[in-house]
């Protein structure tokens, strides 16, 4: 009986310790409208959530550890009201043009989640404004981390959106495919997208599909383990070389390379390795393992 | 003296290189194929063959056993276009990865080799990685099966017979107006893509009435090996009245073996699904092809199952019980396999060159005429409908 009491006290201490390690993470994101520069040097009207009022075509990442509290300020830097959705955290707010909304969420479980300026089918989230919120397990604190926010868009439909027209998505045929807002050659040297690591190292790769179309991501050279899945298509704990990432899905993959080398990772819907109707220009990254 | 030393060195290198390889495939790459479609039309495809042959879609099915070291001797005979082979899912090293910018290409009239160890059982793909979106569409792909020991796909899950279903599509306009000799064939060129609107939907390169019936015994578990090398997604609907258990994906055993009615398969994925015995009821498996961007169902194909109780209970693609005699042999080798007009024999000599010896079909045996060949060690391979069913060493004296 005494032993059980001692054990209970120990558990309580451990829980309190856990709480004390939880952080309050304060972050601001700004919904900007600007111009995305495509891989073939065309400027496209585009939305993104950025760190400040300067437009960048890569959406800001929100990063927590399990137990952390996120205090998020969302500034709508446009002239019209927009939504802010964090579906996995039951957050749905309307933000007036020029207004700021304060949002607080707690990272209860590890995984890759999506925030956006609307639900799927809404116009603006299909127009760039969606990013990832990643909650890491504390044991992953020291691991190398890389992020792939997958999107695609059809240039004609973006122009229709920009003109304020309703878009018919039934014949959707995107012509640009991006990772963190960029296509293949724009990604060269990008430290967020292109994986660098060493043999035997534990590397985490976070993937979110914030577009409207399925993306099927194939790894050359290695299988990865699906450590956390926010998906109906991939089993947690499965080891695969090709991961289906449906719109709205998030995957947290563990890669432990067993050999050195340079290996591509690309969409195996090979049409999505294009940009502006040119190949190869789209979703194509590199693993560089020493 | 120098000549003798050189000869010994050459023999040592040959013996050393071949001594480490369990199975060798002699693959040729072409741009001069002709593939028959279900409606009587044809497309001029690219493709792979074993030895000299007219390529169709897909390339030959390569079956190997778990643990084997496998070598692909690959000859490019394609009027100028460089090609490679990417061993999709086999986790090979960079040199064998088949990506032009990080590995090597095989130019016209060159022969180069890829090697891999078949570590994990499962179904894999191989395809050209030069201007991939074109060369894959044009037919430069096939399946590799790594067979598990004792036909145990996972602990406690065994099968009596397996079938490989490789899904893809073809947009005939791409074949009719292909950028075959344009910059699209260059290794590093950027080229324009036409809109992809496929009008033919393949199961092992076949559509509708062309699709082979899968014949099994009524009382055996059947392993369905599913792969998608197309640009559309697939939704597989399994036969009603049969328990379909999803067991593997991408050559690995899944953490949870789940019973499924249907299964989505995206581009480049592979799955292994075990079907409980089919019984004596007519059954079909349905394959839906989903648009790559809208997800809408565009087309469906059906694969029928047939029952044949006369099939052997324990049939394997390459039975170790197959007799091959005499060995060493001087004039003729007899192989204890029943041949047909779709049987081909390939002899591979110590230098890797391939030969097509004369054969005679006699009952349940194949007689291979080797009297005109030089003395030495050979690998003798038997292909049925382009599928390797036997690979053995034989010594000619």
């Amino acid at each position: 009986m005494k032993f059980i009491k001692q054990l209970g006290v120990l558990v309580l201490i451990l829980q309190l310790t856990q709480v004390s390690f939880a952080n309050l993470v304060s972050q601001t994101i700004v919904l900007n409208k600007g111009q995305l520069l495509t891989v073939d040097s065309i400027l496209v009207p585009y939305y993104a959530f950025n760190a400040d009022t300067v437009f960048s075509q890569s959406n800001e990442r929100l990063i927590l550890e399990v137990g952390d509290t996120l205090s998020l300020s969302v500034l709508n830097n446009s002239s019209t009201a927009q939504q802010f959705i964090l579906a996995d955290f039951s957050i749905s707010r309307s933000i007036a043009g020029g207004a700021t909304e304060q949002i607080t969420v707690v990272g209860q479980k590890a995984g890759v989640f999506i925030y956006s300026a609307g639900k799927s089918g809404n116009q603006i989230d299909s127009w760039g404004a969606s990013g990832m919120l990643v909650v890491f397990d504390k044991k992953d604190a020291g691991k190398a981390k890389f992020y792939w926010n997958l999107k695609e868009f059809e240039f004609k439909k973006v122009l229709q959106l920009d003109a304020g027209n309703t878009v018919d998505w039934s014949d959707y045929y995107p012509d640009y495919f991006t990772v963190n807002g960029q296509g293949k050659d724009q990604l060269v040297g990008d430290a967020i997208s292109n994986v660098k690591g060493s043999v035997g190292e534990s590397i985490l790769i976070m993937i979110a599909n914030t577009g409207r179309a399925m993306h099927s991501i194939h790894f050359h050279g290695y299988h990865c383990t699906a450590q956390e899945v926010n998906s109906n298509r991939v089993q947690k704990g499965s080891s695969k070389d090709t991961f289906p990432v449906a719109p709205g899905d998030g995957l947290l993959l563990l890669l432990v390379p067993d050999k050195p080398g340079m290996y591509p990772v690309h969409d195996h819907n090979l049409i999505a390795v294009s940009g502006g109707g040119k190949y190869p220009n789209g979703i194509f990254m590199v693993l560089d393992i020493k | 003296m120098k000549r003798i030393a050189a000869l010994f060195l050459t023999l040592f290198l040959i013996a050393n290189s071949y001594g480490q390889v369990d199975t060798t495939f002699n693959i040729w790459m072409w741009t001069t194929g002709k593939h028959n479609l279900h409606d009587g039309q044809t497309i001029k495809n690219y493709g792979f063959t074993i030895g000299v042959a007219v390529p169709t879609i897909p390339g030959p099915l390569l079956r190997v056993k778990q643990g084997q070291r496998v070598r692909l001797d690959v000859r490019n005979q394609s009027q100028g276009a460089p090609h490679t082979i990417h061993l999709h899912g086999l986790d090979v090293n960079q040199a064998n990865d088949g990506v032009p910018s990080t590995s090597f290409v095989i130019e016209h009239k060159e022969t180069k080799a890829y090697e891999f160890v078949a570590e994990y059982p499962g179904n894999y793909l191989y395809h050209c990685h030069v201007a991939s979106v074109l060369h894959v569409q044009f037919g430069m792909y096939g399946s590799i099966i790594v067979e598990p020991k004792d036909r145990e796909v996972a602990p406690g899950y065994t099968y009596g017979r397996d079938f490989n279903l490789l899904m893809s599509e073809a947009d005939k306009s791409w074949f009719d107006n292909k950028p075959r000799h344009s910059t699209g064939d260059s290794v590093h060129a950027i080229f324009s893509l036409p809109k992809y609107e496929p009008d033919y939907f393949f199961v092992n390169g076949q559509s509708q009435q062309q699709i082979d019936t899968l014949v099994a015994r009524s009382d055996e578990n059947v392993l369905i090996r599913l792969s998608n090398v197309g640009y559309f997604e697939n939704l597989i609907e399994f036969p009603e009245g049969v328990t379909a258990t999803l067991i593997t994906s991408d050559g690995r055993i899944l953490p949870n073996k789940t019973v499924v009615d249907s299964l989505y398969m995206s581009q480049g994925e592979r799955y292994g699904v075990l079907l409980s015995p089919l019984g004596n009821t007519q059954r079909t498996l349905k394959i839906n092809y989903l648009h790559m961007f809208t997800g809408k169902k565009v087309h469906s194909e059906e694969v029928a199952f047939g029952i044949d109780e006369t099939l052997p209970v324990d049939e394997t693609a390459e039975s170790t019980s197959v007799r091959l005699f005499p060995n060493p042999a001087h004039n003729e080798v007899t192989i204890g396999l029943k041949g047909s007009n779709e049987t081909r024999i390939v002899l591979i000599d110590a230098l890797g060159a391939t030969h097509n010896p004369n054969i005679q079909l006699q009952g349940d045996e194949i007689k291979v005429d080797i009297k005109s060949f030089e003395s030495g060690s050979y690998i003798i391979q038997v292909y049925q409908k382009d599928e390797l069913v036997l690979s053995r060493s034989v010594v000619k004296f």
Side-chain angles (χ1 to χ4, degrees):
Chain A
M1 194 64 184
K2 188 179 175 186
F3 171 73
I4 292 172
K5 277 185 181 174
Q6 287 174 333
L7 192 63
V9 170
L10 181 62
V11 168
L12 184 61
I13 290 168
L14 285 173
Q15 284 178 338
L16 289 171
T17 308
Q18 175 100 355
V19 169
S20 69
F21 283 160
N23 296 312
L24 174 65
V25 177
S26 297
Q27 193 161 351
T28 297
I29 55 175
V30 180
L31 178 59
N32 289 318
K33 188 180 181 189
Q35 288 190 306
L36 175 142
L37 179 67
T38 67
V39 68
D40 54 349
S41 303
I42 294 172
L43 289 170
V44 182
Y46 214 67
Y47 280 95
F49 285 101
N50 303 133
D52 52 36
T53 55
V54 178
F55 173 81
S56 161
Q57 58 203 64
S58 179
N59 282 272
E60 199 66 9
R61 287 170 296 281
L62 309 177
I63 296 171
L64 305 175
E65 285 189 339
V66 172
D68 285 354
T69 298
L70 172 67
S71 176
L72 183 66
S73 297
V74 184
L75 167 61
N76 176 6
N77 190 30
S78 74
S79 56
T80 56
Q82 304 289 357
Q83 282 188 299
F84 182 82
I85 307 283
L86 240 174
D88 293 292
F89 295 79
S90 302
I91 299 289
S92 177
R93 304 278 177 86
S94 180
I95 310 175
T100 297
E101 188 76 12
Q102 194 64 36
I103 289 158
T104 303
V105 295
V106 177
Q108 303 281 10
K109 60 175 183 176
V112 176
F113 309 99
I114 289 174
Y115 70 85
S116 72
K119 293 177 182 172
S120 179
N122 183 286
Q123 310 291 28
I124 193 168
D125 70 318
S126 301
W127 194 7
S130 41
M132 64 171 84
L133 187 162
V134 183
V135 182
F136 290 109
D137 194 295
K138 290 188 188 301
K139 68 178 169 48
D140 292 328
K143 292 174 182 166
K145 299 179 177 74
F146 300 89
Y147 302 87
W148 300 341
N149 182 357
L150 310 177
K151 291 180 188 292
E152 77 294 317
F153 66 86
E154 183 177 347
F155 186 58
K156 279 185 192 170
K157 292 196 188 314
V158 166
L159 294 184
Q160 289 172 356
L161 289 168
D162 199 36
N165 298 324
T166 301
V167 169
D168 174 11
W169 297 102
S170 65
D171 61 349
Y172 187 45
Y173 196 98
D175 36 23
Y176 289 93
F177 304 87
T178 61
V179 181
N180 302 329
Q182 303 173 101
K184 180 177 176 288
D185 286 349
Q186 293 171 308
L187 291 166
V188 173
D190 179 61
I192 300 296
S193 314
N194 289 302
V195 174
K196 283 184 181 287
S198 305
V199 172
E201 183 181 1
S202 292
I203 298 166
L204 297 180
I205 301 170
M206 280 55 70
I207 310 177
N209 182 349
T210 59
R212 299 183 66 88
M214 165 67 71
H215 294 288
S216 189
I217 302 302
H218 172 58
F219 286 74
H220 285 231
Y222 312 102
H223 277 58
C224 294
T225 302
Q227 185 168 302
E228 301 292 343
V229 300
N230 191 5
S231 163
N232 294 320
R233 297 284 296 269
V234 178
Q235 279 191 20
K236 183 173 178 173
S238 61
S239 178
K240 287 171 66 65
D241 58 75
T242 306
F243 291 89
V245 195
D249 281 2
L251 300 175
L252 195 158
L253 307 182
L254 172 65
L255 167 65
V256 184
D258 61 345
K259 56 188 171 298
M262 298 275 286
Y263 297 93
V265 182
H266 61 85
D267 201 323
H268 221 276
N269 166 13
L270 296 176
I271 306 295
V273 187
S274 69
K278 305 284 187 189
Y279 181 98
N281 257 351
I283 294 177
F284 188 102
M285 293 76 76
V286 176
L287 310 174
D288 181 1
I289 305 301
K290 304 298 184 197
Chain B
M1 191 65 186
K2 279 184 180 173
R3 282 183 181 176
I4 292 170
L7 179 63
F8 272 104
L9 179 62
T10 304
L11 289 171
F12 170 79
L13 290 173
I14 290 168
N16 202 36
S17 62
Y18 273 85
Q20 296 171 359
V21 174
D22 301 302
T23 300
T24 300
F25 295 94
N26 181 249
I27 294 176
W28 288 56
M29 308 194 285
W30 309 85
T31 54
T32 51
K34 181 184 174 187
H35 187 70
N36 296 320
L37 302 167
H38 74 271
D39 55 3
Q41 298 199 67
T42 59
I43 47 178
K44 293 177 180 175
N45 61 291
Y46 294 6
F48 299 102
T49 60
I50 297 290
V52 177
V54 177
T56 59
I57 299 174
L61 172 62
L62 310 180
R63 275 187 186 267
V64 299
K65 292 190 179 302
Q66 183 181 6
Q68 285 187 323
R69 187 169 190 88
V70 182
R71 178 184 171 108
L72 309 182
D73 284 329
V74 186
R75 167 80 172 177
N76 182 354
Q77 195 71 27
S78 65
Q79 291 72 52
H83 298 296
T84 67
I85 287 184
H86 168 55
L87 298 160
H88 180 115
L90 284 158
D91 294 353
V92 294
N93 62 16
Q94 181 179 328
N96 286 287
D97 195 34
V99 175
S101 57
T102 54
S103 180
F104 58 85
V105 297
I106 307 176
E107 301 289 350
H108 181 45
K109 292 193 173 178
E110 274 190 333
T111 301
K112 291 183 179 175
Y114 296 93
E115 286 191 7
F116 65 93
V117 177
E119 189 173 356
Y120 293 93
N123 39 312
Y124 301 87
L125 298 168
Y126 66 95
H127 62 79
C128 182
H129 220 286
V130 173
S132 311
V133 69
L134 297 180
H135 288 205
V136 171
Q137 167 65 186
F138 294 156
M140 298 197 77
Y141 54 81
S143 293
I144 297 173
I145 289 177
V146 178
E147 296 180 339
K149 289 168 186 163
D150 304 320
R151 278 184 276 173
E152 189 174 55
V153 67
Y157 295 88
T158 58
Y159 60 93
R161 211 165 300 273
D162 66 334
F163 297 105
N164 186 62
L165 301 180
L166 173 59
M167 269 58 81
S168 58
E169 322 90 30
D171 181 334
K172 191 167 182 296
S173 71
W174 284 38
F175 289 81
D176 293 342
N177 304 299
K178 73 177 59 162
R180 173 179 291 201
H181 297 297
S182 75
T183 53
D185 284 330
S186 170
V187 172
H188 299 296
I190 290 182
F191 52 89
S192 295
L193 277 187
K195 194 169 185 180
Y196 185 62
E197 295 176 317
D199 33 21
Y200 294 90
F201 299 85
F202 294 145
V203 180
N204 297 334
Q206 302 171 320
S207 304
Q208 301 191 19
Q209 80 281 359
Q210 295 176 311
I211 296 174
D212 289 333
T213 298
L214 309 182
V215 181
R217 293 175 59 89
S218 66
D219 58 353
E220 64 186 356
N221 287 335
V222 169
L223 178 65
I224 305 294
R225 301 179 182 277
L226 299 158
S227 306
N228 180 5
V229 74
Y231 306 159
F232 275 30
E233 264 196 283
N234 299 138
L235 173 60
I236 316 294
E237 296 178 48
F238 296 102
E240 289 183 6
V242 170
T243 302
T245 308
L246 174 59
I247 297 187
T248 66
S249 177
D250 295 357
R252 301 291 188 274
I253 297 168
L254 286 164
N256 303 310
K257 286 83 182 167
T258 51
V259 174
V260 293
D261 298 324
S262 61
L263 175 67
Y264 284 95
M265 181 166 60
S266 71
Q267 304 89 339
E269 277 196 294
R270 292 93 58 213
Y271 286 100
V273 177
L274 193 66
L275 301 185
S276 61
L278 299 164
N280 287 307
T281 307
Q282 182 92 25
R283 301 189 192 280
T284 56
L285 179 147
K286 189 174 181 182
I287 298 158
N288 302 294
Y289 297 80
L290 311 181
H291 191 276
M292 56 193 167
F293 299 131
T294 66
K296 282 189 289 195
K297 184 167 81 177
V298 173
H299 186 83
S300 298
E301 293 284 352
E302 290 195 345
V303 181
F305 288 94
I307 298 300
D308 183 352
E309 305 296 7
T310 67
L311 290 174
V313 174
D314 193 35
E315 184 178 82
T316 57
E318 183 193 339
S319 171
T320 53
S321 65
V322 172
R323 294 175 305 140
L324 186 149
F325 62 93
N327 191 10
H330 185 57
N331 291 325
E332 185 177 85
V333 171
T334 299
I335 300 170
L337 280 175
K338 187 176 177 60
S340 71
N341 58 4
E342 293 181 304
T343 301
R344 289 195 305 119
I345 304 289
V346 175
L347 273 181
I348 304 172
D349 65 26
L351 295 173
T354 59
H355 310 274
N356 297 103
N358 293 325
I359 62 171
Q360 279 190 315
L361 308 180
Q362 292 183 6
D364 289 339
E365 293 179 338
I366 303 168
K367 306 281 188 185
V368 184
D369 182 354
I370 61 168
K371 58 178 171 290
S372 62
F373 292 94
E374 299 287 327
S375 297
S377 293
Y378 293 83
I379 295 168
I380 190 165
Q381 296 183 328
V382 182
Y383 291 88
Q384 308 276 26
K385 287 183 72 174
D386 268 351
E387 182 177 345
L388 180 68
V389 296
L390 187 80
S391 182
R392 293 273 180 86
S393 296
V394 64
V395 175
K396 151 80 181 181
F397 66 90

